[in-house]
Amino acid sequence: MKNFVVKTIANAGALAVAIWLIGDITLEDGSTGRKALTLILVALLFGLVNFVVKPVVQLLTFPLFILTLGLITLVVNALMLLLTSWLAGVLDLSFHVEGFWTAVLGGLIISIVSWALNVALPDED
């Protein structure tokens, strides 16, 4: 359970950094508390997308992974971020990613920050 909480906090932190750095990734809501709650919900949604959909996409793109020496991972991460943005819109959360190249840059930032936070935060169960 603690591992799940740590990963969710790391995802929320990584999403917050991406929102802060990239103008076309937005989180628009009223108060700071409302934004924090929305960010946690989007982090949970992002974690769910990465848990359920990403392995299937990675399996289907495995030949491209070999062919591109792993660079297709940037595209897969961007697609997962765009899917999260779409699902957030369906669920009426105020998170939006504008365009594919924004998603590629956002996915790269989220991957780096999430990795760093997972290294820094404890992950014991």
Side-chain angles (χ1 to χ4, degrees):
M1 181 65 177
K2 189 187 263 187
N3 194 20
F4 172 75
V5 172
V6 168
K7 289 197 181 294
T8 302
I9 291 170
N11 274 341
L15 285 164
V17 170
I19 291 166
W20 179 60
L21 289 176
I22 303 173
D24 286 338
I25 299 178
T26 57
L27 180 70
E28 298 171 2
D29 238 340
S31 66
T32 303
R34 182 81 174 149
K35 283 184 179 180
L37 177 62
T38 302
L39 188 61
I40 293 295
L41 292 173
V42 170
L44 287 169
L45 186 60
F46 186 63
L48 183 66
V49 165
N50 280 328
F51 181 74
V52 175
V53 179
K54 191 174 183 177
V56 175
V57 173
Q58 285 178 329
L59 181 65
L60 294 174
T61 60
F62 186 71
L64 288 174
F65 182 82
I66 300 296
L67 187 66
T68 63
L69 301 175
L71 289 177
I72 193 71
T73 303
L74 292 172
V75 174
V76 171
N77 288 342
L79 293 174
M80 296 305 106
L81 190 58
L82 285 172
L83 179 60
T84 301
S85 174
W86 179 78
L87 287 172
V90 169
L91 296 173
D92 202 28
L93 297 171
S94 62
F95 175 76
H96 183 68
V97 178
E98 185 65 39
F100 176 75
W101 292 110
T102 301
V104 170
L105 183 58
L108 182 62
I109 290 170
I110 290 169
S111 295
I112 292 169
V113 173
S114 181
W115 170 81
L117 288 174
N118 278 315
V119 167
L121 294 172
D123 63 347
E124 305 159 355
D125 267 336

